[in-house]
Amino acid sequence: MLPQIKETISHSGREKNIDLNTSVMGTVFTDHMFICDYENGQWNNPRIEPLQTIATHPAAMALHYGQAIFEGLKATLGKDETPLLFRPEENAKRLNFSADRMGMPAFPEDLFVEGLKRFVAIEKDWIPTADGTALYLRPFMYADEAFIGMRAATKYKFIIFASPSGPFFSKPIKLWAETKFIRAANGGTGEAKAAGNYAAAIRPTEMAKAKGYDQVLWLDAREFEYVCEVGTMNIFFKIAGKFITPNLNGSVLSGITRLSVIDLLRDKGFEVTERPISMTEIVEASKNGTLEEAFGAGTAVSIAPVAEIGYKDMKITFPSEAPVGKDVKATLDGMKTQQLEDKFGWIVAAEREAVK
């Protein structure tokens, strides 16, 4: 049985004075947060309350030893203005996969989904409605025990907050294939959605942007030859009519959009292979004309067509703006707003009546 979720509701009306459709993700935040505490071996006191700062002891273990993980998903509005979530149960599973790798306690998956439903129902008026917009949801967990010492913490917080979000990229993106720095190595934390993975990526990403690129295309940690993923998304290549995406080898994040795109591409009749793909293969396909398109896939970016990859002294360009990727994006967007049939059962309603 789920524990009772307490509610303390704010009625600020701030959203009426904000252009939600043009808000940049992560700059404007909604009125509430869902919060739950872990102590004495169990999760306690799930609640929704007004968004506020959280008192943190200087010795909070997350600040010193990095036990911090997060998720990302989006809420949209359906045809009858019902708030909708996309595959939230997959986010719950991945959060716990990350928690296990980082030595953190699992969060009850049914409470994760129920908390999201309740939270989104309350924040319904914050969901933007323009094409490509959504309410970005950020569940995260961190160690807040005050202790200096190298061990797993005994106290944690799980929180969900939200930010209205416009489209992430307005045009096809340019990627820099990194041959010095790495994102992850086998046996590391690359397959977990751990905060430290992103911290390690900041400096190389800034260097790539200084070269005129949008994000880093990460390569393997040993040979700098095999494609892993992009900074905020997984990646797909179309070569000679078939799609290839890097397999989950222990250093690639298992993206929920990635998982969904694989199913959608196969449903549309394309062959999709999950396997190692090398830069040598990509360069050769570019030279012989079989490299047809590439696109990134992730929650924040949705589907992002790739225009160019910079690799060593080469520029690999693409002959189109990912027509199949655009079709996949249109399908996903249509399902998330109930303009298209959800034949996979991915959409979950967050009606207030349904969550009591």
Side-chain angles (χ1 to χ4, degrees):
M1 178 181 294
L2 284 171
Q4 182 180 3
I5 299 174
K6 301 175 184 177
E7 295 181 4
T8 304
I9 305 301
S10 165
H11 299 286
S12 73
R14 287 191 305 121
E15 72 279 2
K16 297 180 176 64
N17 300 315
I18 298 171
D19 186 351
L20 302 178
N21 292 320
T22 60
S23 293
V24 177
M25 189 182 87
T27 60
V28 175
F29 303 98
T30 67
D31 285 334
H32 299 89
M33 60 183 181
F34 175 94
I35 187 166
C36 196
D37 306 301
Y38 183 87
E39 191 173 1
N40 298 321
Q42 60 184 1
W43 289 99
N44 303 290
N45 191 23
R47 59 205 184 272
I48 295 173
E49 58 188 35
L51 184 72
Q52 59 188 302
T53 57
I54 302 167
T56 302
H57 194 284
M61 293 181 73
L63 301 178
H64 301 273
Y65 305 107
Q67 279 190 300
I69 58 176
F70 67 93
E71 278 298 316
L73 65 162
K74 289 180 175 178
T76 50
L77 289 178
K79 289 188 294 185
D80 60 355
E81 297 193 347
T82 298
L84 304 173
L85 297 169
F86 183 76
R87 308 190 76 174
E89 71 287 348
E90 294 296 332
N91 292 94
K93 293 175 185 176
R94 190 172 64 180
L95 179 93
N96 283 338
F97 180 89
S98 298
D100 181 69
R101 177 61 185 87
M102 302 301 290
M104 304 168 75
F107 190 81
E109 293 179 10
D110 53 355
L111 181 57
F112 180 101
V113 174
E114 183 71 9
L116 276 170
K117 287 180 177 180
R118 187 80 61 91
F119 174 76
V120 170
I122 290 170
E123 303 291 54
K124 173 183 174 179
D125 290 343
W126 284 90
I127 302 175
T129 56
D131 289 345
T133 65
L135 182 63
Y136 182 81
L137 307 169
R138 172 54 62 90
F140 71 107
M141 185 198 303
Y142 69 98
D144 70 339
E145 180 186 359
F147 178 78
I148 298 298
M150 187 57 187
R151 62 161 171 78
T154 62
K155 296 181 181 179
Y156 298 85
K157 274 191 168 53
F158 173 82
I159 297 173
I160 304 170
F161 66 94
S163 173
S165 170
F168 204 87
F169 292 115
S170 60
K171 60 182 180 180
I173 60 174
K174 297 168 64 177
L175 306 177
W176 174 254
E178 180 57 55
T179 57
K180 177 182 178 182
F181 299 100
I182 67 168
R183 175 191 172 273
N186 289 346
T189 61
E191 59 184 350
K193 204 164 177 63
N197 294 342
Y198 297 83
I202 290 173
R203 177 59 178 152
T205 301
E206 292 302 310
M207 295 170 68
K209 289 180 178 179
K211 294 183 177 79
Y213 293 89
D214 297 294
Q215 290 202 357
V216 171
L217 178 64
W218 295 105
L219 306 179
D220 73 282
R222 174 174 287 187
E223 301 175 65
F224 291 98
E225 169 67 10
Y226 292 92
V227 173
C228 292
E229 61 182 84
V230 182
T232 58
M233 50 192 160
N234 298 108
I235 190 163
F236 289 78
F237 296 93
K238 184 168 179 264
I239 299 177
K242 300 176 182 179
F243 280 93
I244 305 165
T245 191
N247 57 308
L248 303 179
N249 60 6
S251 59
V252 174
L253 185 71
S254 179
I256 294 159
T257 305
R258 172 190 182 277
L259 180 68
S260 306
V261 168
I262 290 172
D263 287 344
L264 282 175
L265 286 172
R266 288 173 176 163
D267 185 65
K268 292 175 182 292
F270 291 99
E271 181 179 327
V272 184
T273 303
E274 299 175 69
R275 65 166 174 84
I277 179 168
S278 69
M279 289 304 300
T280 298
E281 181 179 357
I282 293 169
V283 170
E284 180 59 30
S286 178
K287 289 179 178 178
N288 65 29
T290 59
L291 183 62
E292 297 169 1
E293 69 175 272
F295 58 84
T299 295
V301 302
S302 183
I303 303 297
V306 176
E308 178 184 308
I309 296 175
Y311 175 57
K312 297 180 178 178
D313 59 351
M314 293 177 278
K315 289 185 178 181
I316 304 167
T317 57
F318 293 81
S320 68
E321 295 184 356
V324 179
K326 285 187 172 182
D327 180 54
V328 169
K329 181 181 185 303
T331 301
L332 283 171
D333 289 349
M335 291 170 61
K336 291 175 182 178
T337 55
Q338 294 181 324
Q339 301 302 310
L340 294 177
E341 177 190 1
D342 172 25
K343 62 165 62 175
F344 300 95
W346 289 340
I347 305 302
V348 175
E351 294 177 281
R352 190 134 181 81
E353 293 76 13
V355 298
K356 301 180 183 177

